[in-house]
């Protein structure tokens, strides 16, 4: 079911619960107890066209959605648009796509709370980008830890073909020295485009352990 769009955007972290089992052992008038920690459990979920049905095609306000996954607790997600003329979730085989108000520096932000991210993968793109060499549309993606320190980031302009189209595929796997990632930021920026320009996220996959 779609969630109502809210005016206030906030971020939160998906909580994972570690089970603790107390085992009692009898002795000579003595009860000993010890705790056994559950092993981490792996989960994976993809924000795709089907997930888009949980969001509203509302351009003027932020949305806070606890995304139902079917494999874990809901994933707390914030979507924040700015100067967007039209918005579509779950259409054309994409999680989300958006068109700007013409000639404005439009944008939209996606923030996801997730505990102990181990793998990240995203496919995104632009269509009909009419900007010149100094006005190409930009993507900025950051994986951050609990202190909001950047663990991994990608910031670049889309590489365009002759039609003004471009796609990007990015992947990350947690390394042995990486901090624990708890937040994902995906920020997309238009630069003085026509309303025909389309910045979209085709899919975004998260794998985590908790």
């Amino acid at each position: 079911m779609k969630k109502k769009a809210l005016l206030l955007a906030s971020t939160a972290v998906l909580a994972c619960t570690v089970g603790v089992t107390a085992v009692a052992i009898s002795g000579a008038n003595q009860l000993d107890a010890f705790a056994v920690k559950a092993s981490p459990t792996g989960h994976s979920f993809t924000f795709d066209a089907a997930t888009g049905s949980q969001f509203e095609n509302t351009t003027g306000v932020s949305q806070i959605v606890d995304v139902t996954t079917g494999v874990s607790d809901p994933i707390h997600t914030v979507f924040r648009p700015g100067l967007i003329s039209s918005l579509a979730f779950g259409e054309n085989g994409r999680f989300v796509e958006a068109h700007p108000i013409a000639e404005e520096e439009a944008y939209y932000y996606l923030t996801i709370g997730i505990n102990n991210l181990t793998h990240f993968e995203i496919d995104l793109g632009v269509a009909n980008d009419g900007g010149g060499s100094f006005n190409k549309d930009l993507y900025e993606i950051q994986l951050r830890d609990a202190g909001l320190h950047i663990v991994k980031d990608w910031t670049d302009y889309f590489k365009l073909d002759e039609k003004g189209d471009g796609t990007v595929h990015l992947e990350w796997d947690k390394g042995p020295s990486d901090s624990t990632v708890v937040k994902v930021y995906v920020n997309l920026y238009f630069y003085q485009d026509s309303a025909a320009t389309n910045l979209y996220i085709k899919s975004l996959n998260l794998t985590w352990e908790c």
Side-chain angles (χ1 to χ4, degrees):
M1 178 179 296
K2 293 185 177 180
K3 306 297 179 73
K4 288 186 177 180
L6 302 178
L7 292 175
L8 178 64
S10 65
T11 58
V13 175
L14 174 68
C16 291
T17 303
V18 177
V20 177
T21 304
V23 181
I25 301 177
S26 308
N29 298 320
Q30 179 178 336
L31 185 65
D32 295 328
F34 64 92
V36 179
K37 289 186 178 180
S39 299
T41 301
H43 301 285
S44 184
F45 181 75
T46 300
F47 286 73
D48 55 14
T51 312
S53 65
Q54 300 186 48
F55 292 77
E56 297 280 354
N57 296 332
T58 305
T59 60
V61 295
S62 297
Q63 300 182 53
I64 302 173
V65 180
D66 289 325
V67 172
T68 301
T69 69
V71 298
S72 71
D73 292 339
I75 297 177
H76 194 79
T77 306
V78 178
F79 181 84
R80 183 181 298 112
L83 300 174
I84 297 297
S85 66
S86 66
L87 183 65
F89 284 95
E91 296 184 14
N92 301 314
R94 297 165 176 163
F95 167 59
V96 62
E97 56 184 30
H99 298 266
I101 295 174
E103 305 303 321
E104 294 287 353
E105 293 188 1
Y107 62 87
Y108 63 89
Y109 303 151
L110 180 71
T111 305
I112 301 170
I114 194 78
N115 192 38
N116 194 22
L117 187 70
T118 58
H119 177 78
F120 173 81
E121 190 168 344
I122 189 170
D123 286 283
L124 64 161
V126 63
N128 301 316
D129 183 0
S133 58
F134 298 104
N135 290 317
K136 293 178 182 177
D137 294 337
L138 180 75
Y139 61 88
E140 178 185 52
I141 300 170
Q142 298 177 345
L143 310 180
R144 294 187 177 229
D145 64 16
L148 296 183
H149 304 106
I150 295 175
V151 178
K152 176 64 178 177
D153 71 314
W154 301 267
T155 302
D156 205 350
Y157 299 102
F158 288 94
K159 307 302 187 292
L160 306 177
D161 62 16
E162 65 280 0
K163 296 180 180 179
D165 300 345
T167 59
V168 174
H169 175 83
L170 302 170
E171 290 189 50
W172 172 86
D173 288 290
K174 184 178 182 179
S177 62
D178 288 332
S179 301
T180 299
V181 171
V182 300
K183 281 190 172 67
V184 175
Y185 296 87
V186 180
N187 304 327
L188 300 177
Y189 302 93
F190 298 87
Y191 282 100
Q192 298 180 337
D193 293 300
S194 74
T197 304
N198 181 4
L199 271 177
Y200 60 87
I201 301 171
K202 182 177 181 181
S203 65
L204 183 156
N205 176 262
L206 307 172
T207 302
W208 68 96
E209 290 186 352
C210 61

